[in-house]
Amino acid sequence: ADVYYYTGRTKQATNGYWKFVENYPKDERVPTAVYFYALCLDDQGKLAEASQAYEYFIEKYPDNDNVKKAKEFLYRINVLKR
């Protein structure tokens, strides 16, 4: 999924990240996969879905290093509407 994300193929990356989360729910890389899943949705303009994914990420993994960025993206979507 990372290769798809970093080459701009976010639709494929979205599927890959979520499949990873579903198939390996206890893996230590799941929080990062959830975060990148949200980023992909955001990049695709699926703002309602991205907002839900960011909220899930923030609630489920509050100590993750990416929470601050996720909160900023969530603010942009929910308050600034873009």
Side-chain angles (χ1 to χ4, degrees), residues 2-18:
D2 286 341
V3 171
Y4 288 130
Y5 179 79
Y6 288 110
T7 57
R9 295 181 285 178
T10 57
K11 286 184 182 182
Q12 294 93 334
T14 303
N15 294 333
Y17 287 123
W18 198 251

Side-chain angles (χ1 to χ4, degrees), residues 68-82:
K68 182 178 178 185
K69 289 180 189 174
K71 286 180 178 179
E72 291 170 2
F73 292 136
L74 191 59
Y75 176 82
R76 177 183 45 79
I77 292 170
N78 292 335
V79 176
L80 303 178
K81 306 290 185 196
R82 52 188 169 125

Side-chain angles (χ1 to χ4, degrees), residues 31-79:
T32 301
V34 172
Y35 175 70
F36 275 92
Y37 173 76
L39 286 179
C40 289
L41 292 170
D42 198 344
D43 289 347
Q44 292 171 50
K46 297 179 178 181
L47 301 184
E49 292 175 59
S51 178
Q52 290 177 335
Y54 286 130
E55 288 173 358
Y56 174 81
F57 172 74
I58 292 164
E59 183 178 313
K60 185 98 170 153
Y61 310 106
D63 297 326
N64 187 280
D65 292 342
N66 290 313
V67 165
K68 182 178 178 185
K69 289 180 189 174
K71 286 180 178 179
E72 291 170 2
F73 292 136
L74 191 59
Y75 176 82
R76 177 183 45 79
I77 292 170
N78 292 335
V79 176

Side-chain angles (χ1 to χ4, degrees), residues 12-26:
Q12 294 93 334
T14 303
N15 294 333
Y17 287 123
W18 198 251
K19 283 181 184 177
F20 181 82
V21 171
E22 289 180 327
N23 292 329
Y24 307 98
K26 296 183 188 287

